[in-house]
């Protein structure tokens, strides 16, 4: 609306009130320029106050080019109006407010009651681990598997073997193709370090794979974990990071050995709702090709959401878990499997429980 430069302050205020009463108007940005005739901005505060008194709660932002402050309030009490020196800054402020209001108004979803969680067993695992290492640290693979299984997460059964003889026994018990994953000093990213042998389907394959790992890691070699091979699928990462002020944060993204290079991730604070978990999937840059109608293969998104919710519950109920890395989480059209994971504990005392509610 162009009021022209010849308008007086009173008429300018009346014009402002008229525009605010228009049901088609949802917000108002008012550029104000002082002219030789007067300063129409002098009527702004009064016009907004009258509109507010009449029940109008639409946002009003003023732009006054040339004012020394980039932002200052106009008016007093409950009827102050924000005044910006830069129209771009005003537009961004309005966009941020609209985005935040939209986020607040969205349905929050529910924190579901998840079946199959054995909290007593999980707490016993944590207590036992901290008894062995009072300062905390990375859990042994067997403890990681037990902890994840306590929360109903679909971990792939794993047998840690210290000798080749133990590996042969486990191989025969599994009765099919297996993967060998090294246990060696200082090795956390096994695949990246060349510490994984896949598709060992015969005794000869197993012996050759064991020898390869032992030769590669030398004196640091401590054995290998054996797992049945799982159906190939899309690899994701589900993680936990602990924020000192706000508690645990759940991370979801593209997984595999190139996860850090791809860096396609979404994040949420706990407690995690069903809506939060579903939105985390959709926030990935790669989401249209993974979960949308144009996806190259159908994935069991419900199972992926369930893994996010269960990991979030683990992080919420066990504050000693300060870091977790479930990678890869392999999703197919028929479910999800977790062949590898790392969990780090620290002795912690839960802080203010209300801080976590700020994530909701």
């Amino acid at each position: 609306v162009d009021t022209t430069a010849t308008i007086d302050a009173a008429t300018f205020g009346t014009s402002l009130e008229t525009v605010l009463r228009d049901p088609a108007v949802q917000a108002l940005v008012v550029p104000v320029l002082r002219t030789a005739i007067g300063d129409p901005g002098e009527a702004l505060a009064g016009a907004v106050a009258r509109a507010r008194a009449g029940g109008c709660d639409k946002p009003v932002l003023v732009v006054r080019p040339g004012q020394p402050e980039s932002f200052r309030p106009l008016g007093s009490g409950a009827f102050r109006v924000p005044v910006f020196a830069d129209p771009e800054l005003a537009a961004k402020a309005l966009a941020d407010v609209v985005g935040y209001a939209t986020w607040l108004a969205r349905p929050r979803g529910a924190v579901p009651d998840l079946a199959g969680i054995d909290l007593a067993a999980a707490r016993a695992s944590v207590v036992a681990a901290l008894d062995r290492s009072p300062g905390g640290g990375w859990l042994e693979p067997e403890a990681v598997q037990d902890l994840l299984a306590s929360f109903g997460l679909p971990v792939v059964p794993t047998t840690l073997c210290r000798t080749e003889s133990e590996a042969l026994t486990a191989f025969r018990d599994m009765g099919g193709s297996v993967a060998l994953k090294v246990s060696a000093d200082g090795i956390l990213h096994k695949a990246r370090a060349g510490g994984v042998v896949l598709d060992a389907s015969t005794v000869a394959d197993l012996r050759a794979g064991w020898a390869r790992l032992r030769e590669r890691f030398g004196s640091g070699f401590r054995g290998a974990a054996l797992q049945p091979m799982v159906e190939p699928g899309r690899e994701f990462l589900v993680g936990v990071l602990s924020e000192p002020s706000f508690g645990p944060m759940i991370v979801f993204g593209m997984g595999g050995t190139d996860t850090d290079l791809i860096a396609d991730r979404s994040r949420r604070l706990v407690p995690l709702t069903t809506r939060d978990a579903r939105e985390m999937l959709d926030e990935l840059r790669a989401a249209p090709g993974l979960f949308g109608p144009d996806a190259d293969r159908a994935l069991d998104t419900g199972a992926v959401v369930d893994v996010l919710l269960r990991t979030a519950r683990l992080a919420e109920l066990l504050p000693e878990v300060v870091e977790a890395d479930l990678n890869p989480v392999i999703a197919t059209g028929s479910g999800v499997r977790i062949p590898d994971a790392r969990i780090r504990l620290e002795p912690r005392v839960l802080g203010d429980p209300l801080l976590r509610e700020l994530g909701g």
Side-chain angles (χ1 to χ4, degrees), residues 132 183 213 224 246 293:
R132 291 190 298 269
S183 173
L213 294 177
F246 296 105

Side-chain angles (χ1 to χ4, degrees), residues 147-148 151 153 310-318 321 343:
L147 194 56
L148 295 181
F151 277 83
L153 286 157
R310 290 179 182 276
T311 304
R313 188 61 53 83
L314 181 154
E316 181 182 0
L317 298 179
L318 301 177
V321 174
I343 294 177

Side-chain angles (χ1 to χ4, degrees), residues 289-332:
L290 297 173
F291 309 113
D294 298 326
D296 56 0
R297 63 182 297 180
L299 299 179
D300 188 344
T301 55
V304 178
V305 166
D306 188 66
V307 167
L308 285 169
L309 292 169
R310 290 179 182 276
T311 304
R313 188 61 53 83
L314 181 154
E316 181 182 0
L317 298 179
L318 301 177
E320 297 88 351
V321 174
V322 294
E323 187 175 354
D325 185 5
L326 283 58
N327 182 24
V329 174
I330 301 176
T332 65

Side-chain angles (χ1 to χ4, degrees), residues 178-189:
V178 301
L180 290 82
K181 299 182 177 181
V182 73
S183 173
D185 295 339
I187 300 299
L188 292 176
H189 297 283

Side-chain angles (χ1 to χ4, degrees), residues 13 16-17 20 43-58 60 74-81:
L16 178 63
E17 293 179 66
L20 282 172
L44 276 171
V48 174
R50 289 190 295 273
R52 295 279 187 268
C56 175
D57 59 356
K58 298 173 184 178
V60 178
L74 177 67
S76 60
F79 300 118
R80 292 188 298 173
V81 180

